[in-house]
């Protein structure tokens, strides 16, 4: 690429701070696997829409381009957008073929499809052999198979894949096993950032912060909060439904991580091995006397903002979802027994368990024993 500094100097401009220019998408480049990563609001979908718009421009150019953009019958200027069925309810007010982003949408006609899983994705790819660029939105939502499927089509069919996705979860950890594998097979990464949404801060931020609204307070989600909570984009004032903000690392408060590993998990280990029933005491306290829990004791070391999580509803149920569906330390039957014996909220618990299973965490989840889920 031409050095932008040279171009400016030749215009007689003074020596300014020159930043990398924002380029149009280059369809003549060799097939790539591009991860577009960033928190919500960083413009991942807008990026996809721009690629699509650029493609429309290039398709109107002369046949000279076809030679540079076509391999094995697939033209990279033909862009197909694939979205996950898990995402369908996010934009109920747009036309079915709309690629919607903040501030607008593009209608993609027959160049957009919604698929359930990678098997359906493969069907769509096979049905459109002349399409060289595939945008697979929210790539981390798919099962792990996606990573190697994409790599094979990239190698064998010389296709380009653009994968806008969250790569970090609210704990600031790699989202799941699929995200981990995608990082391995990718050839390029476009990191996008958004402003930190903390009122006192405007740093570039790339972390997703989960919080709950409770009586006009923002309460951070605890580390052991259920990893996946299926829900809409609308801001919720129900302290059982999370909200998200983009935050810089300084303003990404994540209480109870130490507690989760130092106390909660070990208690469940001991309970499972029949050593003691301290777990039950702790779960009971979380539900009915949170300020007397071991959690409260630990949070005192983390400060006021962390202590606020003691006011959250269904704290005990959240811990049980974590221990059952994510840590695999309790079976579903055991968890339900505990829930019933302590008079906890079984509806909330089952809903969240379903969320974890629906999103194919790519982690070993305990199969329910003697329970239908
Ligand atoms: Zn900040």
């Amino acid at each position: 690429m031409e050095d932008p500094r040279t171009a400016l100097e030749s215009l007689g401009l003074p020596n300014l701070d020159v930043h990398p220019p924002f380029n149009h998408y280059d369809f003549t480049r060799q097939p790539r696997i591009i991860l577009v990563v960033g928190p919500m609001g960083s413009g991942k979908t807008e990026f996809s829409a721009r690629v699509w718009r650029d493609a429309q421009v290039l398709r109107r150019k002369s046949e000279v381009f076809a030679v540079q953009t076509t391999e094995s019958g697939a033209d990279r200027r033909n862009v197909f957008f694939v979205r996950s069925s898990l995402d369908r309810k996010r934009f109920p007010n747009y036309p079915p073929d709309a690629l919607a982003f903040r501030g607008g949408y593009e209608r993609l006609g027959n160049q957009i499809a919604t698929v359930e899983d990678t098997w359906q994705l493969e069907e769509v790819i096979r049905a459109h052999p002349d399409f060289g660029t595939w945008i697979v939105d929210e790539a981390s939502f798919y099962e792990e198979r996606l990573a190697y499927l994409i790599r094979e089509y990239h190698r064998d069919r010389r296709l380009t894949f653009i994968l806008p996705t969250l790569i970090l979860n609210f704990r600031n950890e790699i989202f799941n096993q699929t995200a981990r594998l995608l990082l391995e097979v990718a050839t390029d990464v476009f990191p996008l950032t958004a402003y930190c949404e903390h009122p006192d801060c405007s740093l570039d931020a790339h972390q997703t912060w989960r919080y709950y609204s409770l009586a006009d307070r923002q309460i951070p989600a605890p580390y052991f909060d259920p990893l996946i909570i299926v829900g809409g984009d609308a801001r919720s004032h129900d302290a059982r439904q999370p909200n998200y903000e983009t935050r810089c690392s300084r303003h990404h408060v994540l209480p109870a991580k130490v507690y989760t590993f130092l106390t909660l998990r070990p208690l469940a280990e001991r309970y499972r091995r029949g050593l003691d029933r301290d777990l039950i005491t702790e779960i009971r306290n979380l539900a009915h006397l949170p300020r007397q829990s071991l959690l409260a004791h630990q949070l005192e070391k983390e400060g006021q903002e962390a202590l606020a999580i003691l006011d959250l509803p269904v704290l005990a149920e959240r811990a049980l979802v974590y221990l059952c569906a994510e840590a695999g330390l309790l079976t579903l039957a055991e968890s339900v027994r505990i829930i019933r014996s302590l008079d906890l909220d079984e509806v909330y618990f089952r809903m969240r368990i379903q969320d974890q299973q629906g999103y194919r965490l790519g982690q070993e989840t305990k199969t329910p024993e003697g329970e239908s889920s």
Side-chain angles (χ1 to χ4, degrees), residues 115-170:
V115 302
E116 302 269 339
D117 54 26
T118 60
W119 303 97
Q120 285 188 5
L121 169 65
E122 209 174 348
E123 277 172 32
V124 179
I125 294 176
R126 283 172 193 271
H128 299 86
D130 51 333
F131 280 74
T133 300
W134 290 81
I135 303 178
V136 182
D137 199 30
E138 295 296 3
S140 298
F141 285 3
Y142 294 82
E143 65 273 24
E144 299 93 322
R145 181 171 181 268
L146 179 74
Y148 295 123
L149 182 77
I150 277 175
R151 193 171 66 177
E152 300 219 328
Y153 275 92
H154 167 71
R155 274 185 190 162
D156 304 343
R157 291 278 326 283
R158 307 279 296 152
L159 301 180
T160 283
F161 288 91
I162 299 177
L163 312 169
T165 187
L166 276 175
I167 219 79
L168 300 174
N169 58 33
F170 78 94

Short mmCIF file of all heavy atoms in Angstrom, two decimals, residues 115-170:
data_model
loop_
_atom_site.label_atom_id
_atom_site.label_comp_id
_atom_site.label_asym_id
_atom_site.label_seq_id
_atom_site.Cartn_x
_atom_site.Cartn_y
_atom_site.Cartn_z
N VAL A 115 -29.50 -19.71 9.38
CA VAL A 115 -29.27 -21.16 9.53
C VAL A 115 -29.25 -21.54 11.01
O VAL A 115 -28.97 -20.72 11.88
CB VAL A 115 -27.96 -21.61 8.86
CG1 VAL A 115 -27.95 -21.27 7.39
CG2 VAL A 115 -26.74 -21.01 9.56
N GLU A 116 -29.57 -22.81 11.27
CA GLU A 116 -29.62 -23.32 12.64
C GLU A 116 -28.23 -23.74 13.11
O GLU A 116 -27.90 -23.62 14.28
CB GLU A 116 -30.51 -24.57 12.69
CG GLU A 116 -31.92 -24.37 12.22
CD GLU A 116 -32.85 -23.98 13.35
OE1 GLU A 116 -32.48 -24.26 14.51
OE2 GLU A 116 -33.90 -23.38 13.09
N ASP A 117 -27.46 -24.32 12.20
CA ASP A 117 -26.19 -24.90 12.63
C ASP A 117 -25.24 -25.00 11.42
O ASP A 117 -25.58 -24.56 10.31
CB ASP A 117 -26.40 -26.29 13.24
CG ASP A 117 -27.19 -27.21 12.31
OD1 ASP A 117 -27.14 -26.99 11.08
OD2 ASP A 117 -27.85 -28.13 12.80
N THR A 118 -24.09 -25.59 11.63
CA THR A 118 -23.08 -25.63 10.55
C THR A 118 -23.50 -26.56 9.42
O THR A 118 -23.02 -26.40 8.30
CB THR A 118 -21.71 -26.08 11.08
OG1 THR A 118 -21.84 -27.39 11.63
CG2 THR A 118 -21.19 -25.13 12.12
N TRP A 119 -24.37 -27.53 9.70
CA TRP A 119 -24.83 -28.41 8.63
C TRP A 119 -25.66 -27.63 7.64
O TRP A 119 -25.51 -27.77 6.42
CB TRP A 119 -25.63 -29.59 9.20
CG TRP A 119 -24.81 -30.36 10.19
CD1 TRP A 119 -24.83 -30.23 11.55
CD2 TRP A 119 -23.79 -31.34 9.90
NE1 TRP A 119 -23.91 -31.06 12.12
CE2 TRP A 119 -23.26 -31.76 11.13
CE3 TRP A 119 -23.30 -31.89 8.73
CZ2 TRP A 119 -22.25 -32.70 11.23
CZ3 TRP A 119 -22.30 -32.83 8.82
CH2 TRP A 119 -21.78 -33.23 10.05
N GLN A 120 -26.54 -26.78 8.17
CA GLN A 120 -27.34 -25.94 7.27
C GLN A 120 -26.47 -24.90 6.57
O GLN A 120 -26.69 -24.58 5.41
CB GLN A 120 -28.45 -25.24 8.07
CG GLN A 120 -29.58 -26.18 8.43
CD GLN A 120 -30.76 -25.44 9.05
OE1 GLN A 120 -30.78 -24.22 9.11
NE2 GLN A 120 -31.73 -26.20 9.50
N LEU A 121 -25.48 -24.41 7.28
CA LEU A 121 -24.55 -23.45 6.66
C LEU A 121 -23.89 -24.09 5.44
O LEU A 121 -23.80 -23.48 4.36
CB LEU A 121 -23.48 -23.02 7.68
CG LEU A 121 -22.30 -22.23 7.10
CD1 LEU A 121 -22.76 -20.88 6.56
CD2 LEU A 121 -21.21 -22.03 8.15
N GLU A 122 -23.46 -25.34 5.62
CA GLU A 122 -22.80 -26.04 4.53
C GLU A 122 -23.74 -26.21 3.33
O GLU A 122 -23.31 -26.05 2.18
CB GLU A 122 -22.32 -27.41 5.04
CG GLU A 122 -21.09 -27.89 4.32
CD GLU A 122 -20.52 -29.16 4.91
OE1 GLU A 122 -20.95 -29.57 6.02
OE2 GLU A 122 -19.66 -29.74 4.25
N GLU A 123 -24.99 -26.51 3.61
CA GLU A 123 -25.97 -26.63 2.53
C GLU A 123 -26.07 -25.33 1.73
O GLU A 123 -26.11 -25.35 0.49
CB GLU A 123 -27.37 -26.94 3.09
CG GLU A 123 -27.60 -28.41 3.39
CD GLU A 123 -28.93 -28.62 4.12
OE1 GLU A 123 -29.88 -27.83 3.87
OE2 GLU A 123 -29.00 -29.54 4.95
N VAL A 124 -26.12 -24.22 2.45
CA VAL A 124 -26.25 -22.91 1.77
C VAL A 124 -25.00 -22.64 0.93
O VAL A 124 -25.09 -22.17 -0.21
CB VAL A 124 -26.47 -21.77 2.80
CG1 VAL A 124 -26.56 -20.43 2.10
CG2 VAL A 124 -27.73 -22.02 3.61
N ILE A 125 -23.83 -22.96 1.47
CA ILE A 125 -22.59 -22.72 0.71
C ILE A 125 -22.59 -23.56 -0.57
O ILE A 125 -22.28 -23.06 -1.65
CB ILE A 125 -21.35 -23.07 1.57
CG1 ILE A 125 -21.23 -22.09 2.75
CG2 ILE A 125 -20.07 -23.03 0.72
CD1 ILE A 125 -20.10 -22.40 3.72
N ARG A 126 -22.99 -24.82 -0.44
CA ARG A 126 -23.00 -25.70 -1.62
C ARG A 126 -24.01 -25.25 -2.66
O ARG A 126 -23.80 -25.41 -3.85
CB ARG A 126 -23.37 -27.14 -1.20
CG ARG A 126 -22.24 -27.89 -0.54
CD ARG A 126 -22.79 -29.20 0.00
NE ARG A 126 -21.87 -29.85 0.90
CZ ARG A 126 -20.94 -30.71 0.52
NH1 ARG A 126 -20.81 -31.00 -0.76
NH2 ARG A 126 -20.15 -31.27 1.40
N ALA A 127 -25.11 -24.66 -2.20
CA ALA A 127 -26.16 -24.22 -3.12
C ALA A 127 -25.78 -22.94 -3.86
O ALA A 127 -26.48 -22.53 -4.79
CB ALA A 127 -27.47 -24.02 -2.36
N HIS A 128 -24.70 -22.28 -3.46
CA HIS A 128 -24.30 -21.02 -4.08
C HIS A 128 -22.82 -21.06 -4.47
O HIS A 128 -22.01 -20.32 -3.92
CB HIS A 128 -24.56 -19.84 -3.13
CG HIS A 128 -26.00 -19.67 -2.77
ND1 HIS A 128 -26.60 -20.34 -1.74
CD2 HIS A 128 -26.97 -18.90 -3.34
CE1 HIS A 128 -27.89 -19.99 -1.68
NE2 HIS A 128 -28.13 -19.13 -2.64
N PRO A 129 -22.50 -21.91 -5.45
CA PRO A 129 -21.08 -22.12 -5.78
C PRO A 129 -20.38 -20.90 -6.37
O PRO A 129 -19.15 -20.84 -6.36
CB PRO A 129 -21.12 -23.27 -6.80
CG PRO A 129 -22.50 -23.25 -7.35
CD PRO A 129 -23.39 -22.74 -6.26
N ASP A 130 -21.15 -19.91 -6.84
CA ASP A 130 -20.51 -18.73 -7.44
C ASP A 130 -20.24 -17.63 -6.43
O ASP A 130 -19.76 -16.55 -6.79
CB ASP A 130 -21.35 -18.21 -8.62
CG ASP A 130 -22.81 -18.02 -8.23
OD1 ASP A 130 -23.28 -18.73 -7.31
OD2 ASP A 130 -23.48 -17.16 -8.84
N PHE A 131 -20.55 -17.87 -5.16
CA PHE A 131 -20.29 -16.85 -4.14
C PHE A 131 -18.92 -17.07 -3.49
O PHE A 131 -18.66 -18.14 -2.94
CB PHE A 131 -21.39 -16.87 -3.07
CG PHE A 131 -22.63 -16.14 -3.50
CD1 PHE A 131 -23.50 -16.70 -4.45
CD2 PHE A 131 -22.92 -14.88 -3.00
CE1 PHE A 131 -24.63 -16.02 -4.87
CE2 PHE A 131 -24.06 -14.19 -3.41
CZ PHE A 131 -24.91 -14.76 -4.35
N GLY A 132 -18.07 -16.04 -3.56
CA GLY A 132 -16.70 -16.19 -3.07
C GLY A 132 -16.47 -15.63 -1.69
O GLY A 132 -15.46 -15.91 -1.04
N THR A 133 -17.39 -14.75 -1.20
CA THR A 133 -17.21 -14.15 0.12
C THR A 133 -18.40 -14.50 1.00
O THR A 133 -19.55 -14.23 0.63
CB THR A 133 -17.07 -12.61 0.02
OG1 THR A 133 -15.93 -12.30 -0.78
CG2 THR A 133 -16.88 -12.00 1.40
N TRP A 134 -18.11 -15.07 2.14
CA TRP A 134 -19.14 -15.52 3.07
C TRP A 134 -18.99 -14.81 4.40
O TRP A 134 -17.96 -14.95 5.06
CB TRP A 134 -19.07 -17.04 3.24
CG TRP A 134 -19.50 -17.72 1.99
CD1 TRP A 134 -18.75 -17.94 0.87
CD2 TRP A 134 -20.82 -18.20 1.70
NE1 TRP A 134 -19.52 -18.53 -0.11
CE2 TRP A 134 -20.80 -18.70 0.38
CE3 TRP A 134 -22.02 -18.23 2.42
CZ2 TRP A 134 -21.93 -19.23 -0.23
CZ3 TRP A 134 -23.14 -18.77 1.82
CH2 TRP A 134 -23.10 -19.27 0.50
N ILE A 135 -20.00 -14.02 4.74
CA ILE A 135 -19.99 -13.37 6.05
C ILE A 135 -20.86 -14.22 6.98
O ILE A 135 -22.06 -14.38 6.75
CB ILE A 135 -20.55 -11.93 5.98
CG1 ILE A 135 -19.74 -11.10 4.96
CG2 ILE A 135 -20.51 -11.29 7.36
CD1 ILE A 135 -20.26 -9.68 4.78
N VAL A 136 -20.24 -14.80 7.97
CA VAL A 136 -20.98 -15.63 8.92
C VAL A 136 -21.05 -14.85 10.24
O VAL A 136 -20.07 -14.77 10.98
CB VAL A 136 -20.31 -17.00 9.13
CG1 VAL A 136 -21.13 -17.86 10.08
CG2 VAL A 136 -20.11 -17.71 7.79
N ASP A 137 -22.22 -14.26 10.48
CA ASP A 137 -22.37 -13.37 11.63
C ASP A 137 -22.40 -14.16 12.93
O ASP A 137 -22.88 -15.29 12.96
CB ASP A 137 -23.67 -12.56 11.46
CG ASP A 137 -23.69 -11.32 12.34
OD1 ASP A 137 -22.61 -10.77 12.61
OD2 ASP A 137 -24.78 -10.90 12.75
N GLU A 138 -21.91 -13.55 14.00
CA GLU A 138 -21.88 -14.17 15.33
C GLU A 138 -21.34 -15.59 15.27
O GLU A 138 -21.94 -16.55 15.77
CB GLU A 138 -23.29 -14.15 15.97
CG GLU A 138 -23.82 -12.77 16.25
CD GLU A 138 -23.02 -11.97 17.29
OE1 GLU A 138 -21.98 -12.48 17.77
OE2 GLU A 138 -23.41 -10.84 17.59
N ALA A 139 -20.19 -15.72 14.66
CA ALA A 139 -19.61 -17.04 14.39
C ALA A 139 -19.44 -17.88 15.65
O ALA A 139 -19.57 -19.11 15.61
CB ALA A 139 -18.28 -16.87 13.66
N SER A 140 -19.18 -17.23 16.78
CA SER A 140 -18.95 -18.00 18.01
C SER A 140 -20.20 -18.71 18.51
O SER A 140 -20.12 -19.58 19.37
CB SER A 140 -18.43 -17.10 19.13
OG SER A 140 -17.21 -16.54 18.77
N PHE A 141 -21.38 -18.34 17.97
CA PHE A 141 -22.61 -18.99 18.41
C PHE A 141 -22.74 -20.42 17.86
O PHE A 141 -23.55 -21.18 18.33
CB PHE A 141 -23.85 -18.21 17.95
CG PHE A 141 -24.11 -16.94 18.72
CD1 PHE A 141 -23.24 -16.52 19.73
CD2 PHE A 141 -25.23 -16.18 18.45
CE1 PHE A 141 -23.49 -15.35 20.44
CE2 PHE A 141 -25.49 -15.00 19.15
CZ PHE A 141 -24.62 -14.59 20.15
N TYR A 142 -21.94 -20.75 16.86
CA TYR A 142 -22.06 -22.08 16.25
C TYR A 142 -21.23 -23.11 17.02
O TYR A 142 -20.38 -22.75 17.83
CB TYR A 142 -21.57 -22.04 14.80
CG TYR A 142 -22.44 -21.20 13.90
CD1 TYR A 142 -22.27 -19.82 13.87
CD2 TYR A 142 -23.41 -21.78 13.10
CE1 TYR A 142 -23.07 -19.02 13.06
CE2 TYR A 142 -24.21 -20.99 12.29
CZ TYR A 142 -24.03 -19.62 12.27
OH TYR A 142 -24.82 -18.84 11.46
N GLU A 143 -21.48 -24.38 16.70
CA GLU A 143 -20.69 -25.43 17.33
C GLU A 143 -19.25 -25.39 16.80
O GLU A 143 -18.99 -24.79 15.74
CB GLU A 143 -21.35 -26.80 17.12
CG GLU A 143 -21.42 -27.31 15.70
CD GLU A 143 -22.67 -26.83 14.94
OE1 GLU A 143 -23.25 -25.80 15.30
OE2 GLU A 143 -23.03 -27.50 13.95
N GLU A 144 -18.35 -26.05 17.51
CA GLU A 144 -16.91 -25.98 17.19
C GLU A 144 -16.61 -26.36 15.75
O GLU A 144 -15.66 -25.88 15.15
CB GLU A 144 -16.08 -26.92 18.08
CG GLU A 144 -16.13 -26.64 19.54
CD GLU A 144 -17.20 -27.45 20.23
OE1 GLU A 144 -18.29 -27.64 19.63
OE2 GLU A 144 -16.96 -27.90 21.35
N ARG A 145 -17.44 -27.24 15.20
CA ARG A 145 -17.25 -27.72 13.84
C ARG A 145 -17.03 -26.57 12.85
O ARG A 145 -16.35 -26.74 11.83
CB ARG A 145 -18.50 -28.52 13.46
CG ARG A 145 -18.48 -29.13 12.08
CD ARG A 145 -19.65 -30.09 11.89
NE ARG A 145 -19.57 -30.65 10.55
CZ ARG A 145 -20.19 -30.13 9.50
NH1 ARG A 145 -20.95 -29.07 9.63
NH2 ARG A 145 -20.05 -30.70 8.31
N LEU A 146 -17.62 -25.42 13.15
CA LEU A 146 -17.54 -24.28 12.24
C LEU A 146 -16.09 -23.97 11.84
O LEU A 146 -15.80 -23.72 10.66
CB LEU A 146 -18.16 -23.04 12.89
CG LEU A 146 -18.10 -21.78 12.01
CD1 LEU A 146 -19.11 -21.89 10.89
CD2 LEU A 146 -18.35 -20.53 12.83
N ALA A 147 -15.19 -23.97 12.81
CA ALA A 147 -13.81 -23.53 12.55
C ALA A 147 -13.16 -24.38 11.45
O ALA A 147 -12.58 -23.84 10.50
CB ALA A 147 -13.00 -23.60 13.83
N TYR A 148 -13.29 -25.68 11.57
CA TYR A 148 -12.60 -26.55 10.60
C TYR A 148 -13.37 -26.64 9.29
O TYR A 148 -12.78 -26.83 8.23
CB TYR A 148 -12.34 -27.93 11.21
CG TYR A 148 -11.37 -27.81 12.37
CD1 TYR A 148 -11.70 -28.26 13.64
CD2 TYR A 148 -10.14 -27.19 12.17
CE1 TYR A 148 -10.80 -28.11 14.69
CE2 TYR A 148 -9.25 -27.04 13.21
CZ TYR A 148 -9.58 -27.50 14.47
OH TYR A 148 -8.71 -27.34 15.50
N LEU A 149 -14.69 -26.51 9.37
CA LEU A 149 -15.50 -26.47 8.15
C LEU A 149 -15.05 -25.30 7.28
O LEU A 149 -14.80 -25.43 6.08
CB LEU A 149 -16.97 -26.30 8.54
CG LEU A 149 -17.95 -26.30 7.39
CD1 LEU A 149 -18.18 -27.71 6.91
CD2 LEU A 149 -19.27 -25.66 7.81
N ILE A 150 -14.92 -24.14 7.92
CA ILE A 150 -14.50 -22.93 7.22
C ILE A 150 -13.10 -23.11 6.64
O ILE A 150 -12.83 -22.75 5.50
CB ILE A 150 -14.57 -21.74 8.20
CG1 ILE A 150 -16.00 -21.23 8.25
CG2 ILE A 150 -13.61 -20.64 7.80
CD1 ILE A 150 -16.21 -20.15 9.27
N ARG A 151 -12.22 -23.70 7.43
CA ARG A 151 -10.85 -23.87 6.94
C ARG A 151 -10.82 -24.77 5.70
O ARG A 151 -10.07 -24.52 4.76
CB ARG A 151 -9.95 -24.43 8.04
CG ARG A 151 -8.48 -24.31 7.64
CD ARG A 151 -7.55 -24.63 8.74
NE ARG A 151 -7.63 -26.04 9.09
CZ ARG A 151 -6.85 -26.59 10.02
NH1 ARG A 151 -5.99 -25.87 10.69
NH2 ARG A 151 -6.97 -27.88 10.30
N GLU A 152 -11.65 -25.81 5.69
CA GLU A 152 -11.66 -26.70 4.53
C GLU A 152 -12.19 -26.01 3.28
O GLU A 152 -11.62 -26.15 2.20
CB GLU A 152 -12.50 -27.94 4.84
CG GLU A 152 -11.94 -28.71 6.01
CD GLU A 152 -12.02 -30.20 5.83
OE1 GLU A 152 -12.97 -30.67 5.18
OE2 GLU A 152 -11.10 -30.88 6.34
N TYR A 153 -13.28 -25.25 3.44
CA TYR A 153 -13.83 -24.54 2.27
C TYR A 153 -12.87 -23.44 1.81
O TYR A 153 -12.79 -23.15 0.62
CB TYR A 153 -15.21 -23.96 2.58
CG TYR A 153 -16.30 -24.98 2.38
CD1 TYR A 153 -16.74 -25.78 3.43
CD2 TYR A 153 -16.89 -25.17 1.12
CE1 TYR A 153 -17.72 -26.74 3.25
CE2 TYR A 153 -17.86 -26.13 0.92
CZ TYR A 153 -18.28 -26.90 1.99
OH TYR A 153 -19.25 -27.85 1.79
N HIS A 154 -12.17 -22.87 2.74
CA HIS A 154 -11.18 -21.85 2.41
C HIS A 154 -10.05 -22.47 1.59
O HIS A 154 -9.63 -21.93 0.57
CB HIS A 154 -10.65 -21.24 3.71
CG HIS A 154 -9.42 -20.41 3.57
ND1 HIS A 154 -9.42 -19.17 2.96
CD2 HIS A 154 -8.14 -20.63 3.95
CE1 HIS A 154 -8.19 -18.67 2.98
NE2 HIS A 154 -7.40 -19.54 3.56
N ARG A 155 -9.59 -23.63 2.01
CA ARG A 155 -8.49 -24.31 1.33
C ARG A 155 -8.92 -24.93 0.00
O ARG A 155 -8.30 -24.73 -1.03
CB ARG A 155 -7.97 -25.46 2.19
CG ARG A 155 -6.94 -25.03 3.19
CD ARG A 155 -6.43 -26.26 3.89
NE ARG A 155 -5.60 -25.90 5.03
CZ ARG A 155 -5.31 -26.73 6.01
NH1 ARG A 155 -5.80 -27.96 6.01
NH2 ARG A 155 -4.54 -26.34 6.99
N ASP A 156 -10.02 -25.69 0.03
CA ASP A 156 -10.41 -26.50 -1.12
C ASP A 156 -11.16 -25.69 -2.16
O ASP A 156 -10.98 -25.87 -3.36
CB ASP A 156 -11.26 -27.69 -0.68
CG ASP A 156 -10.55 -28.52 0.37
OD1 ASP A 156 -9.30 -28.36 0.50
OD2 ASP A 156 -11.21 -29.32 1.06
N ARG A 157 -12.04 -24.80 -1.69
CA ARG A 157 -12.86 -24.03 -2.65
C ARG A 157 -12.35 -22.61 -2.82
O ARG A 157 -12.91 -21.83 -3.58
CB ARG A 157 -14.33 -24.01 -2.18
CG ARG A 157 -15.07 -25.35 -2.25
CD ARG A 157 -15.60 -25.64 -3.66
NE ARG A 157 -16.01 -24.42 -4.38
CZ ARG A 157 -17.13 -23.77 -4.16
NH1 ARG A 157 -18.02 -24.21 -3.29
NH2 ARG A 157 -17.41 -22.68 -4.83
N ARG A 158 -11.30 -22.24 -2.06
CA ARG A 158 -10.70 -20.91 -2.14
C ARG A 158 -11.73 -19.81 -1.84
O ARG A 158 -11.84 -18.81 -2.56
CB ARG A 158 -10.08 -20.69 -3.54
CG ARG A 158 -9.11 -21.78 -3.96
CD ARG A 158 -7.75 -21.61 -3.37
NE ARG A 158 -7.08 -20.41 -3.81
CZ ARG A 158 -6.16 -19.77 -3.07
NH1 ARG A 158 -5.82 -20.24 -1.89
NH2 ARG A 158 -5.57 -18.68 -3.52
N LEU A 159 -12.50 -20.02 -0.79
CA LEU A 159 -13.51 -19.02 -0.40
C LEU A 159 -12.94 -18.11 0.69
O LEU A 159 -12.06 -18.51 1.45
CB LEU A 159 -14.76 -19.72 0.15
CG LEU A 159 -15.48 -20.68 -0.80
CD1 LEU A 159 -16.70 -21.28 -0.12
CD2 LEU A 159 -15.88 -19.96 -2.09
N THR A 160 -13.46 -16.88 0.72
CA THR A 160 -13.12 -15.95 1.80
C THR A 160 -14.25 -15.96 2.83
O THR A 160 -15.42 -15.96 2.46
CB THR A 160 -12.93 -14.52 1.25
OG1 THR A 160 -11.65 -14.44 0.63
CG2 THR A 160 -12.98 -13.48 2.38
N PHE A 161 -13.87 -15.99 4.10
CA PHE A 161 -14.86 -15.92 5.17
C PHE A 161 -14.60 -14.68 6.02
O PHE A 161 -13.46 -14.41 6.40
CB PHE A 161 -14.81 -17.17 6.04
CG PHE A 161 -15.35 -18.38 5.35
CD1 PHE A 161 -14.52 -19.22 4.62
CD2 PHE A 161 -16.70 -18.68 5.41
CE1 PHE A 161 -15.02 -20.33 3.96
CE2 PHE A 161 -17.21 -19.78 4.75
CZ PHE A 161 -16.37 -20.62 4.03
N ILE A 162 -15.67 -13.96 6.29
CA ILE A 162 -15.60 -12.82 7.21
C ILE A 162 -16.48 -13.17 8.40
O ILE A 162 -17.65 -13.51 8.23
CB ILE A 162 -16.07 -11.53 6.51
CG1 ILE A 162 -15.16 -11.23 5.31
CG2 ILE A 162 -16.08 -10.37 7.50
CD1 ILE A 162 -15.58 -10.02 4.50
N LEU A 163 -15.89 -13.14 9.59
CA LEU A 163 -16.59 -13.65 10.77
C LEU A 163 -16.70 -12.59 11.86
O LEU A 163 -15.82 -12.47 12.70
CB LEU A 163 -15.82 -14.87 11.32
CG LEU A 163 -15.43 -15.93 10.28
CD1 LEU A 163 -14.45 -16.93 10.87
CD2 LEU A 163 -16.67 -16.64 9.75
N PRO A 164 -17.80 -11.80 11.81
CA PRO A 164 -17.99 -10.84 12.90
C PRO A 164 -18.46 -11.59 14.14
O PRO A 164 -19.41 -12.35 14.07
CB PRO A 164 -19.11 -9.92 12.38
CG PRO A 164 -19.35 -10.34 10.95
CD PRO A 164 -18.87 -11.75 10.83
N THR A 165 -17.78 -11.40 15.24
CA THR A 165 -18.17 -12.15 16.44
C THR A 165 -17.63 -11.53 17.71
O THR A 165 -16.61 -10.85 17.71
CB THR A 165 -17.68 -13.62 16.34
OG1 THR A 165 -18.21 -14.36 17.43
CG2 THR A 165 -16.17 -13.70 16.36
N LEU A 166 -18.35 -11.80 18.77
CA LEU A 166 -17.81 -11.55 20.09
C LEU A 166 -16.75 -12.61 20.33
O LEU A 166 -16.95 -13.77 20.01
CB LEU A 166 -18.89 -11.74 21.15
CG LEU A 166 -19.85 -10.62 21.48
CD1 LEU A 166 -20.88 -11.14 22.48
CD2 LEU A 166 -19.11 -9.45 22.10
N ILE A 167 -15.65 -12.23 20.91
CA ILE A 167 -14.62 -13.23 21.19
C ILE A 167 -14.46 -13.37 22.71
O ILE A 167 -14.01 -14.37 23.22
CB ILE A 167 -13.31 -12.84 20.46
CG1 ILE A 167 -12.62 -14.06 19.90
CG2 ILE A 167 -12.38 -12.06 21.30
CD1 ILE A 167 -13.16 -14.60 18.64
N LEU A 168 -14.89 -12.32 23.44
CA LEU A 168 -14.79 -12.35 24.90
C LEU A 168 -16.20 -12.34 25.50
O LEU A 168 -17.08 -11.65 25.01
CB LEU A 168 -14.03 -11.13 25.41
CG LEU A 168 -12.59 -10.97 24.92
CD1 LEU A 168 -12.01 -9.64 25.37
CD2 LEU A 168 -11.72 -12.11 25.41
N ASN A 169 -16.38 -13.08 26.58
CA ASN A 169 -17.67 -13.03 27.26
C ASN A 169 -17.63 -11.95 28.35
O ASN A 169 -16.64 -11.22 28.48
CB ASN A 169 -18.03 -14.41 27.83
CG ASN A 169 -16.97 -14.92 28.80
OD1 ASN A 169 -16.33 -14.15 29.51
ND2 ASN A 169 -16.80 -16.23 28.84
N PHE A 170 -18.70 -11.86 29.14
CA PHE A 170 -18.77 -10.78 30.14
C PHE A 170 -17.70 -10.94 31.22
O PHE A 170 -17.42 -10.02 31.97
CB PHE A 170 -20.17 -10.70 30.77
CG PHE A 170 -20.44 -11.75 31.81
CD1 PHE A 170 -20.22 -11.49 33.16
CD2 PHE A 170 -20.91 -13.00 31.44
CE1 PHE A 170 -20.47 -12.46 34.13
CE2 PHE A 170 -21.15 -13.98 32.40
CZ PHE A 170 -20.94 -13.70 33.73
#
